[in-house]
Amino acid sequence: MQYNSIPNYFSRLQNRTLIIFFASALLFLVLFYLLMTGILKPVMSMDEGAFIVYVVVAAAFIDGLTSFFLVRIILAKSINKPSLGERMDVYAKLSVFRSLVIASGSFMLMLALYLSNWPWLLMIYSVYLLFYLLSWPSRSRLSAELKLKPSEKEVVMAS
């Protein structure tokens, strides 16, 4: 990712994350609207596919949790790089990757909604959106996840 300054870096990174977030949320809400208005019909009733819906919802939450652990493992390998710019590049790529993995869990919840048309999935989805909040790329999160030295933290925070 090309950037001219630290504020430009965070602006671009947050914009990319925001696009992924809004795309997945908008698709979920459109599907929810289509099912609630009766334009689309669910594939099965909740009685028939309850187990399948529970498994898909559990898989979505496991997907979201796994994204945090994967990013943490990969970041642990990049912490040893001497340049702050190189580490920030790796962080940007992994932050977008984490958002995409969380979006894939969002698509799993869309699948569960399409299968069953269970209205409570809207609440489950709103809880799932907390993963985006917890993974939102910010200066403090970058400092914590990259374990920046005080001088590097000052450069990131001061800009």
Side-chain angles (χ1 to χ4, degrees), residues 12-32:
R12 288 184 179 198
L13 183 58
Q14 290 173 350
N15 286 342
R16 289 176 183 180
T17 305
L18 198 61
I19 289 170
I20 295 168
F21 166 74
F22 277 132
S24 63
L26 182 66
L27 287 173
F28 185 86
L29 291 175
V30 166
L31 179 66
F32 188 77

Side-chain angles (χ1 to χ4, degrees), residues 35 42-47 49-50 53 110-119 121:
L35 286 168
V43 175
M44 60 184 83
S45 69
M46 190 55 195
D47 297 334
V53 170
M110 281 185 236
L111 174 68
L113 181 66
Y114 180 67
L115 289 176
S116 67
N117 194 17
W118 191 34
L121 281 170

Side-chain angles (χ1 to χ4, degrees), residues 52-67:
I52 294 170
V53 170
Y54 294 143
V55 168
V56 171
V57 168
F61 277 91
I62 290 170
D63 185 45
L65 289 172
T66 304
S67 72

